[in-house]
Amino acid sequence: MKKLFFIALLCIGCNALAQGPPITADNPIMLGGKSFTTKTLMEIRNTERGTAFYAPLMLHYLPTANSLLAVHLPYMSYDFEDIGSGNGLADIKLLGKYQFLRKDAMGKTFRMVLKTKQSLPTGKEIDVMGMSTGMYEGYYGIISGYETLKYGISTEIGYSMMPGGTMDAFETHLGFGLPLLKPQYPNKQINLYFEYASVWLHERDWYQLLYAQGIQYAAKTVTIDLALQLPLVQDMPEDRAFNYSILMGTRYTF
């Protein structure tokens, strides 16, 4: 009994609990200050327009235990019916997060985070949301998360502004994480994720509701992710309809 109590306290102290970060959603849980994380989340996105491959190199730094700065350097290749094929640098993203609320208890924690993401127009103007638009875009949102030793819940709501384009959008995310192994130290876990994402591009009158089923292996400072994302609801032109995405990622913290 004392051993289980010690493990639970240790997991809370490491901000790890029983699972790693969500796969397609964002995470309010932050590691200790002065830490670095390198990660990628590659995506193969298939639509009625064609197929795109997206591979970002993400560099995250925590100046303090409640703040995060990051840069995402993405490579992209595509093959679309309307514009043909190509590859190269997509839109670079600068990310900032500030955790303004943290409540810890025995074996559980609740966090809230403010988030901003600035997309720079470094990619081609090929009108691929979240990948390459060739236009400046600013996103502002709030993330919340509740994690216990048995499950995790995360939410995000935000608004994206594109002054030079027509992709202003309301976004929401909801994710559930289910650890399959008992808590242990050093941390080793297999997690299932059930994640929903909705986006409403009100200027175009487009709407999507997507569902992602994911699995994650987390061990010490490394995570490996795999997920399949499918559409549940789509209200948009048929030639731009989303079919599926396959996501594969890894993360290392030091």
Side-chain angles (χ1 to χ4, degrees), residues 137-235:
E137 183 177 0
Y139 172 84
Y140 309 91
I142 184 168
I143 309 166
S144 65
Y146 178 71
E147 287 195 13
T148 74
L149 297 174
K150 295 182 178 180
Y151 63 88
I153 303 172
S154 64
T155 68
E156 181 176 349
I157 183 169
Y159 185 73
S160 184
M161 296 185 295
M162 182 181 287
T166 58
M167 283 191 175
D168 286 18
F170 291 97
E171 297 184 28
T172 60
H173 299 267
L174 174 63
F176 301 93
L178 179 64
L180 300 183
L181 304 179
K182 293 181 179 180
Q184 54 189 291
Y185 184 82
N187 180 49
K188 183 170 71 173
Q189 188 55 255
I190 297 175
N191 305 301
L192 292 180
Y193 282 100
F194 312 86
E195 299 174 341
Y196 299 85
S198 73
V199 57
W200 175 38
L201 285 77
H202 56 89
E203 293 179 294
R204 299 187 180 187
D205 199 23
W206 293 4
Y207 177 77
Q208 284 184 326
L209 175 61
L210 308 178
Y211 171 73
Q213 178 66 68
I215 187 169
Q216 177 188 81
Y217 174 73
K220 296 182 180 179
T221 58
V222 176
T223 61
I224 299 173
D225 305 311
L226 179 64
L228 174 65
Q229 190 173 51
L230 299 169
L232 296 179
V233 178
Q234 291 198 84
D235 185 6

